[in-house]
Amino acid sequence: MESDGVKSAVKEVNAQVKKVKKICKPYLPLITRLLIVATFVEDGIRCFYEFGGQVDFLNQQYRIPKAICGFLIVVTTIMSLLGALLILTRKPQLEKFGCYALIAFVLYQQAMYGRHSPIGSGNFGFLMRNLCLAGTLLMLLVQGRMSEGHTALPGIPDPGDKSTMVNYIQLAARALLVLLSLEFLTTLGPIGTITTIPVLLAVLVGYKSQISGSLLLLIYFVHNVTNSAFWSVRTDSFRGEFDREVKRYEFVQTISIMGGLLLLVASGPGALSLDEKFDRRKNF
């Protein structure tokens, strides 16, 4: 009887998630893209206002002439803002170039700032966050290319029919999107960790993906609001101002990663998932 009650509750939750998804469906493409590009827009604006400090950092850390440092910052700032704008057009022929630009920007950030990350979780957390962003952009890129009838990735033939590579990329994207949890899992305490791990595993293997993905979205949201609340940091000192900027960076970047997770929930886990496997058995 208890098992029947759990199954009934899961079905009810799944039905409610589908109902909300149906209502929001016309707006989901724009919402997901707004969330995904949020960190790149914030980065571009911040680099513009902190241009001198960014030049000094690159000059001191890498001994690059200041003129070249300035050129790099101008180019990457334009890259992040233009890439975000192209993605917001929602036109596949433009969106793919936006994804290319932002993936290049993520790689640049990891190369130049990966060893000097100011975020609370250090260099490891910085890497995890960039991998999450890369997975999000890769998933968006593949969706756009497939809608135009191209192969999943440029210059790489699909090992089978066109959907085969997509399935593997969706699996890789699921894996990358749960990496953010590795940054803060140990900060949740015993109860938080025990309750979060099953959700992470469900998303990873694509089980009850709409429910598990929505729960992980909620976990990321709660953790973001409680641990990256930049608005609550006092700025009456240089240290306070620095901490506020770091937390704001973490907050906006997590929002972009949540956009990728929302994209995954909206598009489904793909063929390499338990959901798909159970559906095939049911139909058979």
Side-chain angles (χ1 to χ4, degrees):
M1 292 295 291
E2 187 176 343
S3 176
D4 291 340
V6 172
K7 287 181 180 179
S8 177
V10 170
K11 285 183 179 179
E12 179 62 27
V13 171
N14 204 28
Q16 292 299 321
V17 171
K18 286 182 178 179
K19 188 181 294 184
V20 172
K21 182 180 173 182
K22 186 176 181 181
I23 295 172
C24 298
K25 189 175 181 179
Y27 314 104
L28 275 178
L30 180 60
I31 293 171
T32 54
R33 283 158 178 78
L34 284 170
L35 294 177
I36 289 169
V37 303
T39 189
F40 299 101
V41 173
E42 189 270 344
D43 260 338
I45 295 173
R46 180 164 43 80
C47 284
F48 176 77
Y49 282 105
E50 299 177 0
F51 183 80
Q54 295 286 334
V55 169
D56 289 340
F57 172 82
L58 294 179
N59 174 254
Q60 292 169 12
Q61 293 296 330
Y62 298 103
R63 305 302 180 193
I64 302 173
K66 286 192 174 183
I68 297 177
C69 293
F71 176 76
L72 278 174
I73 293 168
V74 169
V75 169
T76 52
T77 299
I78 293 173
M79 186 187 301
S80 65
L81 294 176
L82 182 59
L85 181 62
L86 291 175
I87 285 177
L88 290 178
T89 64
R90 294 174 53 193
K91 296 180 179 179
Q93 64 271 28
L94 297 177
E95 191 173 80
K96 64 183 178 183
F97 292 112
C99 290
Y100 293 145
L102 296 188
I103 289 172
F105 182 77
V106 169
L107 294 174
Y108 165 82
Q109 275 204 324
Q110 183 59 42
M112 303 304 285
Y113 301 97
R115 292 183 299 166
H116 312 282
S117 171
I119 66 173
S121 54
N123 296 344
F124 175 76
F126 191 74
L127 174 61
M128 293 300 101
R129 286 172 171 271
N130 279 335
L131 287 174
C132 287
L133 286 175
T136 296
L137 293 167
L138 188 63
M139 190 163 49
L140 189 61
L141 172 63
V142 168
Q143 284 190 5
R145 286 183 59 82
M146 292 297 291
S147 70
E148 290 189 297
H150 300 309
T151 57
L153 295 174
I156 303 178
D158 289 330
D161 57 41
K162 284 190 174 182
S163 63
T164 304
M165 180 67 79
V166 177
N167 295 332
Y168 284 115
I169 291 174
Q170 285 177 319
L171 175 61
R174 293 203 307 271
L176 291 173
L177 284 170
V178 302
L179 285 178
L180 179 62
S181 61
L182 298 180
E183 181 197 16
F184 61 76
L185 196 59
T186 55
T187 68
L188 298 176
I191 296 177
T193 302
I194 291 171
T195 54
T196 300
I197 286 177
V199 178
L200 297 176
L201 293 176
V203 172
L204 183 61
V205 300
Y207 178 67
K208 299 293 182 184
S209 57
Q210 291 191 338
I211 296 176
S212 58
S214 299
L215 286 174
L216 189 57
L217 263 174
L218 180 62
I219 291 169
Y220 281 0
F221 174 77
V222 171
H223 183 270
N224 202 26
V225 170
T226 55
N227 288 270
S228 300
F230 64 90
W231 53 86
S232 65
V233 179
R234 299 184 62 177
T235 58
D236 52 0
S237 66
F238 175 79
R239 182 65 192 180
E241 185 67 33
F242 177 79
D243 289 342
R244 182 187 178 94
E245 288 298 314
V246 170
K247 285 191 175 294
R248 181 165 61 186
Y249 173 81
E250 292 177 346
F251 182 86
V252 180
Q253 195 174 57
T254 302
I255 286 177
S256 290
I257 294 168
M258 288 170 60
L261 193 53
L262 183 60
L263 182 65
L264 184 65
V265 171
S267 60
L272 299 178
S273 65
L274 289 182
D275 282 351
E276 184 68 19
K277 183 178 180 180
F278 292 150
D279 284 343
R280 284 200 300 267
R281 282 185 178 179
K282 189 185 297 183
N283 294 332
F284 182 78

